Amino acid sequence: MQQRIMINIMRRFIGGRFAGSTRLMSTSSRALGWWDHVKPAPKDPIIGVTEAFLADTNPNKINLGVGAYRDDEGKPVVLQCVRYAESKIAGCEYLESNATEVGSKLVEESVKLAYGKHAHLIKDGRVAGIQALSGTSACRLFAELQRRFYPESPIYLPDFTWSNHHNIWRDAHVPERSFRYYHPISKGLNFAALMDDVKNAPDGSFFLLHPCAHNPTGVDPTEEQWREISNKFKVKNHFPFFDMAYQGFASGDLDTDALPIRIFLEDGHLIGCAQSFAKNMVLHGHRVGCLSVLCDDVKQAVAVKSQLQQIARAIYSNPPVHGILLVSTILSDPQTKVLWSKEVKVMANRIKQMRITLCETLEEMGGPLSWEHITNQVGMFCLSGLTPDEIDRLVREFHVYITPDGRMSMAGVNTSNVNYLANAIHEVTTYEREAGTMISGSSL
């Protein structure tokens, strides 16, 4: 009996080996083609600019693509408040048991920074907050939350907006709509069109808003306009989702830049808010951010937070703790927070001065265009209004790199390169616009 069993086992084993080898050969030949149908993804417009800049060997090259702060020597900076926070947390042992405490501290301090006097809402238990991997992750978490519970509802994005917003909501399978925002002729806010689109959107729609230092246009509504927007949202029962990546860079004051959020809170809105500390603390590599969602009551907030935690668990589980400790220390220590606010003002003021210098230099050179929009716009970015041909010439002839939509990161402008930049812009715009005028005139 045992012998017969062993014979059957051997037969299955031998047969299995031959059959397995045949399947293996078939699988191996097929495996060679598993990814043949995959094509390269389109280059991210911002990352693509940086790659081209790095490959350029010209000594006069200028990178105005990435929204990362640089000092007047064109170098990255480490803020003094960050150095101080580093010294305070040096030697701190991170234990899994205090992960919740660390994350909660970041959320609490971030909400205080954004909500101001309305921060009591977190103590009331009405804020569902979670630490995130900078602003990108905070947006993605909210997009996933929207898809789960409002799968048919689109997100309304301003035209223009940060290019990655489209990627984030698309990959979360949320339908996308746009609302008019930027006026290409005035290079300012198209407020009447914005209000029309808010009015005409279906009741209860989701809108993404930039509370300050709009990326990429540098165009922000006035306080009075924000109040009108908030009122119209109230009438239409729209949900405002704020993406605040540049708090402090518009006015130089952290509270002033958070005013739009506080106006909506005063008017009784429930809101969502993504915050990033990559820019205003110059902590790009640490990826520290926060997502907060204001709810009607404690029960609702507990449920929403549990959903956000579940979404985050499937994407990245827990964020790195070191950056969270840095940001929490800066925000919770009064002395360090004051130092940080002063350093933010210094960064904002340097960018403002570069706007003034660039505008004045271009105006002195003459030419067919007005450049007042450079100083009218605020924050880290200026939407230049340059045409694709002019942008192409900037790169080919002058080695000046900006994104294809004409966005310039003013943080990359400094006293050493501003005259070169102004001359390059003058050359490409004067030639292109005058040539176009002559062609139009000759055809009449």
Side-chain angles (χ1 to χ4, degrees):
M1 182 68 176
Q2 289 180 341
Q3 186 178 9
R4 210 165 39 242
I5 293 173
M6 287 301 297
I7 290 172
N8 288 335
I9 291 174
M10 289 300 292
R11 284 174 176 167
R12 290 180 182 177
F13 174 72
I14 294 170
R17 285 184 64 186
F18 283 111
S21 63
T22 304
R23 285 195 300 270
L24 182 61
M25 289 174 63
S26 174
T27 302
S28 298
S29 62
R30 186 173 69 247
L32 293 175
W34 271 119
W35 307 111
D36 286 349
H37 63 293
V38 177
K39 301 294 188 286
K43 280 188 178 294
D44 180 274
I46 301 173
I47 295 174
V49 168
T50 300
E51 290 175 350
F53 170 80
L54 293 173
D56 192 337
T57 58
N58 189 285
N60 295 319
K61 65 180 181 178
I62 304 174
N63 186 6
L64 304 181
V66 179
Y69 184 76
R70 296 291 183 264
D71 65 16
D72 199 47
E73 296 180 356
K75 297 177 180 178
V77 300
V78 179
L79 300 182
Q80 287 300 316
C81 63
V82 173
R83 296 182 190 276
Y84 182 72
E86 285 277 13
S87 68
K88 287 197 71 174
I89 68 174
C92 288
E93 183 181 4
Y94 170 66
L95 301 174
E96 189 69 31
S97 58
N98 68 2
T100 301
E101 180 183 347
V102 172
S104 297
K105 187 67 174 176
L106 174 77
V107 171
E108 180 181 352
E109 295 300 332
S110 298
V111 169
K112 287 179 185 177
L113 187 68
Y115 290 36
K117 67 180 182 180
H118 304 280
H120 66 85
L121 294 168
I122 195 169
K123 294 192 181 300
D124 295 343
R126 291 181 54 198
V127 177
I130 185 172
Q131 67 271 31
L133 300 178
S134 203
T136 302
S137 168
C139 287
R140 181 58 187 267
L141 290 172
F142 184 82
E144 292 287 347
L145 182 73
Q146 181 183 343
R147 181 190 61 80
R148 281 191 179 190
F149 298 100
Y150 293 91
E152 304 302 321
S153 185
I155 182 73
Y156 280 80
L157 300 177
D159 184 17
F160 297 101
T161 193
W162 179 43
S163 59
N164 210 27
H165 282 147
H166 301 285
N167 300 330
I168 290 167
W169 267 268
R170 181 197 65 223
D171 282 5
H173 302 286
V174 174
E176 181 186 321
R177 303 287 185 273
S178 65
F179 65 95
R180 288 170 290 177
Y181 186 88
Y182 178 75
H183 197 296
I185 298 176
S186 69
K187 299 179 180 63
L189 182 67
N190 195 350
F191 184 65
L194 182 158
M195 292 297 285
D196 278 344
D197 288 349
V198 170
K199 175 184 176 181
N200 294 328
D203 290 1
S205 294
F206 288 85
F207 277 75
L208 184 145
L209 303 171
H210 301 233
C212 60
H214 185 279
N215 176 10
T217 69
V219 174
D220 289 348
T222 65
E223 178 180 342
E224 183 57 37
Q225 287 171 334
W226 274 119
R227 294 191 183 280
E228 290 187 49
I229 294 169
S230 174
N231 180 65
K232 184 62 69 176
F233 268 56
K234 197 74 174 175
V235 171
K236 295 288 294 182
N237 195 32
H238 292 329
F239 188 92
F241 177 73
F242 292 97
D243 184 9
M244 186 159 60
Y246 297 94
Q247 187 176 1
F249 273 107
S251 66
D253 181 81
L254 295 163
D255 288 320
T256 299
D257 282 7
L259 182 61
I261 293 174
R262 297 171 189 181
I263 287 172
F264 273 70
L265 292 171
E266 286 173 6
D267 290 346
H269 292 275
L270 300 182
I271 70 166
C273 182
Q275 292 169 264
S276 169
F277 297 97
K279 317 294 184 181
N280 54 19
M281 289 190 184
V282 199
L283 291 173
H284 298 273
H286 289 278
R287 313 308 298 159
V288 185
C290 175
L291 170 63
S292 58
V293 179
L294 178 61
C295 303
D296 279 318
D297 52 41
V298 176
K299 181 180 178 181
Q300 197 178 92
V302 169
V304 171
K305 183 175 180 178
S306 71
Q307 292 289 339
L308 293 174
Q309 288 173 325
Q310 186 182 73
I311 294 167
R313 177 67 172 164
I315 300 175
Y316 58 84
S317 191
N318 290 305
V321 73
H322 186 78
I324 294 175
L325 286 170
L326 285 175
V327 173
S328 298
T329 300
I330 292 169
L331 294 180
S332 62
D333 181 79
Q335 182 180 355
T336 312
K337 187 176 181 180
V338 169
L339 173 61
W340 173 54
S341 65
K342 290 179 180 178
E343 291 185 288
V344 169
K345 192 173 187 65
V346 168
M347 291 190 289
N349 285 344
R350 192 192 80 74
I351 292 174
K352 286 180 184 178
Q353 185 56 53
M354 287 300 98
R355 286 181 178 275
I356 293 170
T357 303
L358 179 61
C359 179
E360 289 179 348
T361 305
L362 282 165
E363 296 286 2
E364 289 170 4
M365 290 178 174
L369 302 176
S370 168
W371 298 104
E372 63 181 2
H373 63 280
I374 295 176
T375 49
N376 289 341
Q377 296 172 8
V378 297
M380 189 170 285
F381 302 111
C382 169
L383 201 58
S384 63
L386 299 179
T387 68
D389 286 342
E390 290 164 351
I391 294 169
D392 183 59
R393 283 193 65 202
L394 274 183
V395 174
R396 286 189 293 104
E397 299 179 26
F398 298 96
H399 307 273
V400 175
Y401 292 84
I402 67 177
T403 55
D405 59 5
R407 187 192 81 168
M408 299 191 300
S409 173
M410 295 304 298
V413 185
N414 56 59
T415 52
S416 297
N417 66 22
V418 66
N419 288 332
Y420 178 84
L421 173 62
N423 180 68
I425 293 174
H426 175 73
E427 287 291 328
V428 301
T429 54
T430 301
Y431 175 83
E432 294 287 343
R433 308 296 168 110
E434 288 183 350
T437 301
M438 287 190 291
I439 291 172
S440 298
S442 65
S443 64
L444 293 176

